[in-house]
Amino acid sequence: MKGLDDLQYTLTEGPCVDTLRDQDVVLAPDIRHDGRWPTFTAQAVASYDLRSQMAVKLFLDEEGTLGCLNLYSTSTREIDPEDEHVAEVFAAHAAVALGHAREVDQLHQALQSSRTIGTAIGIVMERYHLDRERAFEFLTRASSHANLKLRDVAARIVESTEGGEADLP
């Protein structure tokens, strides 16, 4: 329930927040009578009829904490002891999948940046009759002087060239 997630983040209290701070698993059976998160509990019970919650940290050794898996119940106050084990196994698999997805996304971004920088080098080479090395030096100086990342300078050059004359920083 996105609303319950947002409520915890807004109030900076709740099982999920505790999990992200310092605990691997937080169980909150019969949450109505749990005094650990008075503001969250009052609002969650009143607005969502929350009865119990389990929060499990999504963790990868290399990447640290990726987030938290929240399991909410609006039908029962109990949490079966076996549910904690199942949730931990699921969270471990989810963390691996999220870590992999993040890695793939970073690789795609790096590849796109590399292509954009290469295109900008080509534009500078053609426009100013420079060799590849000098064109790259030109871009790095422009990046330094404009206090922008090289990929951002390159993107500006490529974008402005697509519309006409290159607008070099």
Side-chain angles (χ1 to χ4, degrees):
M1 291 185 181
K2 183 172 176 6
L4 284 166
D5 289 346
D6 291 343
L7 182 60
Q8 289 180 88
Y9 304 142
T10 300
L11 298 174
T12 63
E13 74 172 36
C16 177
V17 174
D18 284 1
T19 301
L20 293 173
R21 286 185 180 142
D22 59 5
Q23 297 177 15
D24 291 340
V25 177
V26 175
L27 301 175
D30 198 10
I31 199 166
R32 294 170 193 247
H33 297 102
D34 195 321
R36 292 178 281 182
W37 318 282
T39 306
F40 167 72
T41 300
Q43 291 183 33
V45 168
S47 298
Y48 298 94
D49 196 28
L50 182 64
R51 296 184 182 204
S52 61
Q53 180 178 343
M54 180 186 333
V56 183
K57 186 181 291 189
L58 298 176
F59 183 84
L60 284 178
D61 289 338
E62 309 82 37
E63 309 226 3
T65 301
L66 298 175
C68 178
L69 170 67
N70 285 298
L71 303 165
Y72 302 105
S73 177
T74 57
S75 61
T76 181
R77 295 180 176 143
E78 303 300 317
I79 297 176
D80 187 310
E82 182 63 23
D83 291 345
E84 181 179 354
H85 174 70
V86 171
E88 286 177 315
V89 170
F90 181 80
H93 288 279
V96 170
L98 286 171
H100 178 70
R102 178 188 282 176
E103 186 177 305
V104 168
D105 183 56
Q106 289 170 347
L107 289 172
H108 283 289
Q109 287 178 18
L111 181 59
Q112 182 60 41
S113 291
S114 177
R115 287 179 180 158
T116 302
I117 291 168
T119 302
I121 287 172
I123 292 167
V124 171
M125 287 172 66
E126 187 276 330
R127 179 133 354 241
Y128 298 106
H129 308 288
L130 300 174
D131 64 25
R132 185 170 190 73
E133 184 176 326
R134 303 270 322 223
F136 181 74
E137 289 172 1
F138 178 91
L139 289 177
T140 57
R141 277 194 310 277
S143 167
S144 178
H145 287 125
N147 197 26
L148 293 170
K149 292 183 178 186
L150 180 61
R151 69 172 181 252
D152 295 334
V153 169
R156 284 184 178 186
I157 291 170
V158 172
E159 288 169 8
S160 66
T161 302
E162 289 171 350
E165 186 71 21
D167 179 28
L168 301 177

